Amino acid sequence: MAAEIRPRAQARKPVLLSKIETSQELVTTAVIIPKEDGVISVSDDRTIRVWLKRDSGQYWPSVYHSMPVSCSCMSFNPETRRLSVGMDNGVVLDFIVSEDYNKITPAHTYQAHGSRVTAVLFVLEMEWLLTAAQDRSICWHCTESGQLLGTHRTAAWVTGLQFDVETRHVFVGDQSGQVTILKLDQNTCSLVTTFKGHTGSVTALCWDAMQRVLFSGSSDHSIIMWDIGGRKGTAIEMQGHNDRVQGLCYAPHTRQLISCGSDGGIVIWDMEVERQETPEWLDSDSCQKCEQPFFWNFKQMWDSKKIGLRQHHCRRCGQAVCGKCSSRRSTIPLMGFEFPVRVCDSCCDSITEQERAPTATFHDSKHGIVHMHYEPTRSWLLTSGTDRVVKLWDMNPVIS
């Protein structure tokens, strides 16, 4: 079922601790059990499994519970051992896991939605269970009584939820690429604001309550850091994946962001550096360097007897430039561009080697990641892949 990995120590790289061969179907969500050598997983094969590490060093299921339909997501609270599982039919089931993690007992059934549940979030301080689904709705239930407290309709189906206890704000990411902030009360919900910076759907959200910063990942391969608490409207973009971002987690004690993607990449971002916003792209009918007309500028093309050129933009200054004036590439890590991007010749000449110094480290998980979970007390990372394997990583060499 599982194999213990004993790799040679390698500096500044995540250490692969174990692989868990889970099932014949995709593991949609899995979490590390704090203070235990264990993992809880839910999958498309309609099962909940609790994996505990045995004396042999292998992980074997101590609980194998069959569900009526496929499991789409879950939330686990280690303090109460409450396990909330969303399913393809819109129902959410609550379980209580025993102290020895050898048994789960049904607690509540929530007829929450009419279609696949996409997010489940238990808020211990409020005794609320927040859920979202493809039916374009958000619900919150009282976990003590099981009573539905309220619902809210969204413009697109929700792909991620985060909650701030202090303000009772819920952060909602959706398929359209928009992030919405709602204020929840016991039975009412009000819109605070919406903002959009992604060109693809929001695929991951992470809220840092201390810094009052929200991170969003997207199918457009980008991550955006939204300064919520600073009230400056700052949005910092970070490009470090070659495919959709599947998970985000912030380590506040080291001020590092961990992101995982479908490309198999695990990226560790240094968030202590002073990052810069990317510039707005400027509009122009001709190159702002050589003044050659762009191909839609018929008047200037006719007057100058020149062929129109294709328009590009410098990622550093935002100016509209032609291909000849922006033939070079450079990384701009402080603007979030860890990969080489198009820059105009003058910007390329002015970027110093210090400004090109990377602000992130890149690691290959060697499987296409569909889900991640970070356990901060031990700095362990869990990745679930398209290869139907769950991997456990020791992140201490890179989280420091």
Side-chain angles (χ1 to χ4, degrees):
M1 288 274 187
E4 184 177 25
I5 310 298
R6 298 181 182 274
R8 290 179 295 177
Q10 295 184 21
R12 311 302 297 172
K13 289 186 178 181
V15 177
L16 181 59
L17 300 173
S18 294
K19 291 181 182 180
I20 303 176
E21 308 283 347
T22 55
S23 69
Q24 297 301 312
E25 298 294 336
L26 192 70
V27 172
T28 52
T29 314
V31 297
I32 300 169
I33 303 172
K35 302 179 182 179
E36 295 281 344
D37 279 327
V39 168
I40 302 175
S41 68
V42 299
S43 62
D44 283 341
D45 66 356
R46 304 184 181 185
T47 63
I48 303 171
R49 305 188 197 198
V50 180
W51 306 82
L52 297 180
K53 191 175 184 180
R54 308 304 182 183
D55 293 338
S56 64
Q58 295 182 325
Y59 284 81
W60 290 85
S62 62
V63 172
Y64 183 103
H65 182 85
S66 295
M67 300 287 279
V69 296
S70 295
C71 306
S72 55
C73 56
M74 75 164 171
S75 172
F76 177 67
N77 181 267
E79 293 182 46
T80 60
R81 300 188 309 281
R82 180 184 294 273
L83 177 66
S84 305
V85 181
M87 296 186 293
D88 276 359
N89 61 359
V91 175
V92 178
L93 296 181
D94 256 1
F95 299 89
I96 302 299
V97 184
S98 63
E99 288 188 39
D100 60 4
Y101 290 92
N102 285 313
K103 182 182 179 181
I104 61 173
T105 304
H108 285 294
T109 299
Y110 305 95
Q111 303 291 337
H113 301 279
S115 61
R116 179 183 174 91
V117 181
T118 55
V120 177
L121 185 63
F122 173 62
V123 184
L124 176 61
E125 294 84 354
M126 311 298 299
E127 292 289 346
W128 286 355
L129 185 69
L130 308 180
T131 62
Q134 290 182 355
D135 61 3
R136 301 183 180 183
S137 70
I138 300 169
C139 299
W140 58 106
H141 289 78
C142 174
T143 54
E144 290 184 325
S145 64
Q147 179 184 356
L148 174 65
L149 298 177
T151 61
H152 176 78
R153 300 294 298 178
T154 59
W157 60 271
V158 176
T159 53
L161 290 176
Q162 291 283 279
F163 187 77
D164 180 58
V165 175
E166 181 183 339
T167 61
R168 294 192 183 184
H169 287 167
V170 58
F171 305 96
V172 183
D174 66 35
Q175 193 183 30
S176 73
Q178 181 172 280
V179 177
T180 303
I181 304 179
L182 303 171
K183 168 82 170 181
L184 294 191
D185 288 310
Q186 190 70 17
N187 300 105
T188 62
C189 171
S190 58
L191 176 65
V192 177
T193 188
T194 61
F195 38 89
K196 184 171 182 178
H198 293 292
T199 57
S201 62
V202 174
T203 52
L205 287 178
C206 176
W207 169 244
D208 174 31
M210 294 180 63
Q211 301 292 326
R212 315 301 294 174
V213 168
L214 179 71
F215 299 93
S216 61
S218 172
S219 60
D220 65 10
H221 314 173
S222 72
I223 299 166
I224 298 179
M225 180 180 74
W226 307 90
D227 180 16
I228 305 296
R231 303 183 184 277
K232 299 176 183 178
T234 306
I236 304 295
E237 187 175 348
M238 296 181 288
Q239 299 278 356
H241 289 278
N242 293 310
D243 207 334
R244 60 190 288 133
V245 179
Q246 293 287 63
L248 296 168
C249 184
Y250 185 68
H253 58 293
T254 60
R255 295 198 65 182
Q256 290 171 294
L257 178 72
I258 307 170
S259 63
C260 294
S262 296
D263 56 1
I266 301 173
V267 183
I268 315 298
W269 303 84
D270 180 3
M271 302 310 297
E272 282 194 311
V273 299
E274 189 173 346
R275 296 184 176 273
Q276 304 168 12
E277 282 191 280
T278 53
E280 293 288 338
W281 284 7
L282 302 178
D283 292 326
S284 179
D285 290 330
S286 58
C287 176
Q288 293 180 297
K289 295 296 181 181
C290 68
E291 298 184 351
Q292 284 267 63
F294 293 132
F295 65 85
W296 61 83
N297 189 352
F298 298 114
K299 184 179 186 303
Q300 188 177 346
M301 288 165 57
W302 176 263
D303 292 342
S304 62
K305 302 297 188 292
K306 292 179 180 179
I307 298 175
L309 304 176
R310 181 182 173 187
Q311 183 190 64
H312 301 281
H313 284 90
C314 173
R315 288 349 185 235
R316 188 169 186 259
C317 66
Q319 287 190 317
V321 290
C322 66
K324 185 178 179 181
C325 294
S326 59
S327 60
R328 297 154 75 183
R329 303 291 183 270
S330 175
T331 60
I332 321 173
L334 293 180
M335 285 187 174
F337 298 114
E338 294 288 339
F339 302 148
V341 291
R342 181 185 296 273
V343 290
C344 66
D345 292 347
S346 56
C347 280
C348 192
D349 291 335
S350 66
I351 299 173
T352 64
E353 287 303 315
Q354 185 177 359
E355 289 177 309
R356 288 190 175 94
T359 61
T361 59
F362 299 84
H363 313 279
D364 186 7
S365 69
K366 299 191 184 301
H367 67 169
I369 297 172
V370 297
H371 173 77
M372 65 162 279
H373 176 249
Y374 179 66
E375 204 284 290
T377 60
R378 287 174 289 182
S379 292
W380 281 17
L381 179 72
L382 176 151
T383 59
S384 171
T386 54
D387 55 0
R388 300 176 179 83
V389 173
V390 169
K391 295 183 180 182
L392 294 175
W393 307 84
D394 181 1
M395 302 298 288
N396 282 289
V398 291
I399 300 294
S400 60

